[in-house]
Amino acid sequence: MAVDSILSSPLGPPACEKDAKALQFIEEMTRNADSVQENVLAQILTRNAQTEYLQRYNLNGATDRETFKSKIPMVTYEDLQPLIQRIANGDRSPILSAHPVSEFLTSSGTSAGERKLMPTIKEELDRRQLLYSLLMPVMNLYVKGLDKGKGLYFLFIKSETQTPGGLLARPVLTSYYKSDHFKTRPYDPYNVYTSPNEAILCPDSFQSMYTQMLCGLYERKQVLRVGAVFASGLLRAIRFLQLNWQQLAEDIRTGSLNPKVTDPSIRECMTRIVRADPELADFIAKECSKDNWERIITRIWPNTKYLDVIVTGAMAQYIPTLDYYSGGLPKACTMYASSECYFGLNLNPMCKPSEVSYTIMPNMAYFEFLPHEPNSTGSTRDSPPRLVDLADVEIGKEYELVITTYAGLCRYRVGDILRVTGFHNSAPQFQFVRRKNVLLSIDSDKTDEAELQAAVESASCLLREFNTSVVEYTSYADTKTIPGHYVIYWELLGKDSGNSPSDQVLEQCCLAMEESLNSVYRQCRVADNSIGPLEIRVVRNGTFEELMDYAISRGASINQYKVPRCVSFTPIMELLDSRVVSSHFSPSLPQWTPERRRLDSFKVNDDIMG
Ligand code: AMP
């Protein structure tokens, strides 16, 4: 039964008592979206009334929406950065939040090339946990019997650092996997993973992936769902299997553990899992040695009912590849979240990717929506932008998400553009349209136009001694190979034909571009190996003029034509590729170290693939 058709009753027949409570909670929250929001705002404003930030705006104890909206400005990360920096430097006074900041969550969104630091408080972990606890009860409405097997989830922690003031700074998932909420979670038959905690919590990405894959292979018949956070992560695991199946099969044949896995806690826990199983080893070797890897997921894990990965937003580019490896298994996008705040969940998780809508849970934060008009800044000096409340958004319209959190972000622009597709009770459901200002993305990296421009400028300095300049450029996220990589098309103008840049110089240009890109890009390249070497494709002179002719032939106005800085439309790609005169790859890895002092003395594995 469709979730939306049940208005006054719980969402559907729950699988167990625990699920009944969770579904009841969703019903309560979504039926009373507006009053829950009103209460959330009042709670946040009451508890944070004495903070330096709110004191600035003279709310004088008011906790109502009208006063809040009239006095508190909408802000971006850059506006808050001086305050955040003070917290990072050790100022423990109540600056943004009355509750002590427990740590910083490092977002994949960047500011001045570095991950944004989001202050968080201890109780936010409970709120995130609450949202997680709603996912399986919803899934159980659509997929039966998930308590009869396990989930093969590829989950990883990333490096953490310490701010000058001594607070931890790490990605939100690392914080969650390392928390007691995750590590000492009570047994739940609907949520049993094949990966042991020791493997998930191992900071060395090769050892972690190797162990998680090995466990998944041992339990291949029990696996009912295969997942990772993002589609790119699952494809990375498939690639890992392609590169490492021989060693994995060898371990399974002999009942030993690859000596490259040295982490003592993994080795200790794997003694309970590793056993000699020559039949399984033969099976793995037979399947993996075939040239054709189509449907490899269902061949190896034949009972998989769905893939649990996010394929909305930038991840949509991976849908065809996932379909190829899984024979078109359903892809469940279960939740929508960020470092700043966890937002909501998909109440119809087995729907098609193009139909995914997330229901924002009104208890998570106070949500406002800035009507999104393309090409407008959203406000003029005379008319400040009018933000719409959660319960008042209109179906079909697009909005930018603005949040006020318990941790002290007030009217903060997240940067996501959402479209309202419908309502569940009185809570709106949103399609994720896109993140603002993202030109290129392969994994969790997000490169904007200004960053690409700066990278091209930085690389083109190397061409000066050859009297050569980059006259035009555009880019493309190439995800045909795993890992995907950035392709930058360059049209060059050389004034000195006898002295043109060599292949080696152009390779150095690739590296120079990578060095200039933000730290999330470089971390993906160096620590995660989730992005391949950047490629420059030099196109013949006149190509960008042809590109313009093509756009004009399709109706673009000559006066307004601008070179697209990122392309994906097939005829344009074909035109560009047919004009390529040479292509060059970055010859080495760019520099990357965690932004600040690294806490764990682990080695950054620069080749997770083994
Ligand atoms: P981070 O703060 O690094 O965790 O990144 C959060 C951002 O990831 C969000 O603001 C979105 O832009 C994107 N994101 C998170 N969940 C989803 C989803 N389900 N679909 C599409 N994009 C998502």
Side-chain angles (χ1 to χ4, degrees):
M1 193 170 357
V3 166
D4 299 307
S5 66
I6 313 156
L7 285 174
S8 54
S9 62
L11 290 157
C16 57
E17 206 176 309
K18 195 161 131 275
D19 283 13
K21 280 199 186 134
L23 299 177
Q24 190 57 40
F25 178 77
I26 295 173
E27 283 303 289
E28 274 166 34
M29 289 299 123
T30 54
R31 262 196 231 128
N32 305 310
D34 198 46
S35 58
V36 174
Q37 281 283 277
E38 194 172 8
N39 285 337
V40 166
L41 181 65
Q43 270 179 23
I44 294 173
L45 296 182
T46 305
R47 70 147 68 163
N48 288 337
Q50 302 308 319
T51 57
E52 183 180 324
Y53 191 73
L54 285 185
Q55 286 282 314
R56 263 191 206 172
Y57 297 104
N58 300 318
L59 285 176
N60 300 324
T63 62
D64 63 292
R65 287 194 264 208
E66 224 164 283
T67 315
F68 175 74
K69 283 171 190 275
S70 67
K71 295 200 168 181
I72 308 286
M74 187 170 66
V75 292
T76 62
Y77 181 81
E78 283 66 30
D79 296 322
L80 298 181
Q81 222 220 345
L83 297 177
I84 289 177
Q85 197 56 53
R86 272 174 52 206
I87 304 171
N89 289 345
D91 188 335
R92 297 287 153 96
S93 63
I95 296 176
L96 292 171
S97 158
H99 286 218
V101 171
S102 53
E103 60 181 315
F104 282 102
L105 302 176
T106 54
S107 140
S108 60
T110 53
S111 173
E114 293 295 327
R115 285 173 179 271
K116 291 176 184 165
L117 289 177
M118 296 298 167
T120 190
I121 55 177
K122 207 156 166 276
E123 66 166 54
E124 278 291 284
L125 202 50
D126 302 329
R127 229 167 255 117
R128 282 179 222 126
Q129 178 63 42
L130 177 68
L131 195 67
Y132 281 126
S133 74
L134 305 177
L135 304 182
M136 282 317 285
V138 171
M139 187 53 86
N140 289 337
L141 294 172
Y142 295 88
V143 185
K144 302 294 168 209
L146 290 174
D147 55 334
K148 307 290 184 295
K150 299 188 178 185
L152 165 55
Y153 282 81
F154 295 96
L155 305 177
F156 301 91
I157 57 162
K158 294 196 179 189
S159 70
E160 46 191 44
T161 57
Q162 207 170 26
T163 67
L167 286 167
L168 275 180
R170 53 191 180 178
V172 63
L173 288 173
T174 301
S175 163
Y176 177 65
Y177 299 144
K178 287 189 158 190
S179 73
D180 287 338
H181 287 73
F182 181 79
K183 284 196 296 195
T184 57
R185 60 197 182 277
Y187 175 79
D188 171 0
Y190 291 94
N191 243 335
V192 183
Y193 297 151
T194 53
S195 298
N197 285 357
E198 289 82 349
I200 295 170
L201 294 172
C202 173
D204 180 291
S205 50
F206 174 84
Q207 296 183 48
S208 175
M209 175 76 96
Y210 190 93
T211 313
Q212 298 194 50
M213 186 61 82
L214 187 60
C215 295
L217 294 175
Y218 269 119
E219 303 211 63
R220 69 180 205 93
K221 298 259 176 72
Q222 282 91 291
V223 168
L224 301 183
R225 47 203 173 110
V226 175
V229 178
F230 290 114
S232 54
L234 183 53
L235 290 173
R236 195 163 137 240
I238 301 299
R239 180 75 189 141
F240 185 90
L241 183 61
Q242 266 173 347
L243 296 174
N244 292 282
W245 63 264
Q246 277 147 322
Q247 180 65 46
L248 287 156
E250 183 58 20
D251 283 6
I252 295 172
R253 185 177 310 285
T254 56
S256 54
L257 183 58
N258 183 349
K260 278 196 193 164
V261 179
T262 53
D263 183 300
S265 62
I266 292 189
R267 292 204 75 89
E268 205 274 317
C269 94
M270 290 303 281
T271 56
R272 296 188 290 279
I273 294 169
V274 171
R275 60 187 184 277
D277 187 343
E279 207 180 311
L280 176 60
D282 284 345
F283 172 81
I284 306 287
K286 186 175 108 235
E287 289 301 331
C288 295
S289 58
K290 290 177 186 164
D291 286 338
N292 184 349
W293 270 51
E294 196 172 351
R295 292 191 308 99
I296 193 72
I297 296 180
T298 40
R299 283 195 263 143
I300 294 192
W301 296 285
N303 300 316
T304 312
K305 295 172 191 256
Y306 66 93
L307 304 180
D308 193 341
V309 277
I310 291 176
V311 289
T312 42
M315 290 293 144
Q317 61 189 330
Y318 294 107
I319 293 173
T321 319
L322 282 177
D323 284 345
Y324 175 82
Y325 286 126
S326 72
L329 277 179
K331 293 160 286 297
C333 298
T334 57
M335 70 187 278
Y336 169 43
S338 75
S339 316
E340 294 91 328
C341 175
Y342 278 24
F343 307 123
L345 74 172
N346 179 0
L347 293 179
N348 188 10
M350 296 302 273
C351 69
K352 284 195 258 167
S354 58
E355 288 166 6
V356 172
S357 286
Y358 299 100
T359 304
I360 288 187
M361 288 302 283
N363 58 304
M364 300 301 290
Y366 177 62
F367 298 101
E368 292 176 281
F369 297 85
L370 175 65
H372 177 65
E373 283 133 34
N375 308 324
S376 123
T377 55
S379 68
T380 63
R381 197 168 270 215
D382 306 328
S383 63
R386 200 181 63 81
L387 301 193
V388 179
D389 274 323
L390 182 67
D392 299 332
V393 295
E394 291 176 51
I395 293 181
K397 292 210 169 146
E398 288 186 9
Y399 299 91
E400 184 185 336
L401 181 60
V402 176
I403 55 172
T404 297
T405 67
Y406 285 89
L409 298 177
C410 275
R411 311 196 95 189
Y412 174 92
R413 296 173 77 157
V414 174
D416 289 348
I417 308 294
L418 310 174
R419 184 183 303 118
V420 186
T421 55
F423 281 80
H424 177 72
N425 296 326
S426 59
Q429 302 183 299
F430 297 91
Q431 192 173 27
F432 181 91
V433 178
R434 61 188 175 82
R435 195 176 168 94
K436 275 192 339 190
N437 304 331
V438 174
L439 206 59
L440 288 165
S441 173
I442 296 282
D443 189 34
S444 52
D445 55 305
K446 300 169 175 68
T447 296
D448 68 23
E449 201 166 320
E451 289 169 323
L452 182 66
Q453 167 81 26
V456 170
E457 278 170 15
S458 152
S460 55
C461 292
L462 301 180
L463 301 177
R464 267 194 218 134
E465 62 178 289
F466 303 96
N467 249 328
T468 299
S469 57
V470 180
V471 281
E472 273 307 353
Y473 69 92
T474 189
S475 66
Y476 168 63
D478 186 347
T479 52
K480 285 192 284 291
T481 52
I482 308 170
H485 70 289
Y486 288 12
V487 175
I488 319 297
Y489 293 91
W490 270 13
E491 185 172 320
L492 298 178
L493 180 66
K495 298 206 181 82
D496 183 355
S497 57
N499 180 29
S500 51
S502 64
D503 282 356
Q504 217 185 0
V505 170
L506 287 160
E507 283 179 4
Q508 288 305 318
C509 289
C510 295
L511 183 58
M513 287 196 71
E514 295 200 300
E515 294 288 7
S516 162
L517 291 172
N518 66 47
S519 77
V520 178
Y521 174 90
R522 286 177 285 113
Q523 183 173 8
C524 287
R525 276 282 284 133
V526 177
D528 305 346
N529 200 21
S530 56
I531 303 181
L534 182 145
E535 179 183 1
I536 290 176
R537 292 183 192 160
V538 178
V539 293
R540 84 159 84 107
N541 287 353
T543 302
F544 278 82
E545 222 170 290
E546 287 184 70
L547 209 65
M548 178 171 82
D549 292 343
Y550 179 81
I552 288 165
S553 76
R554 286 177 52 93
S557 133
I558 297 191
N559 296 329
Q560 286 169 332
Y561 176 78
K562 290 187 204 69
V563 176
R565 290 304 177 207
C566 182
V567 293
S568 58
F569 185 51
T570 310
I572 292 195
M573 305 296 313
E574 283 170 0
L575 191 155
L576 284 166
D577 280 329
S578 68
R579 306 295 189 269
V580 171
V581 289
S582 63
S583 100
H584 314 269
F585 287 89
S586 184
S588 53
L589 292 168
Q591 293 294 317
W592 175 80
T593 47
E595 293 88 331
R596 288 158 196 87
R597 187 168 68 82
R598 196 180 307 152
L599 287 183
D600 292 355
S601 57
F602 62 86
K603 111 181 187 305
V604 171
N605 199 310
D606 46 21
D607 190 3
I608 184 195
M609 297 302 179

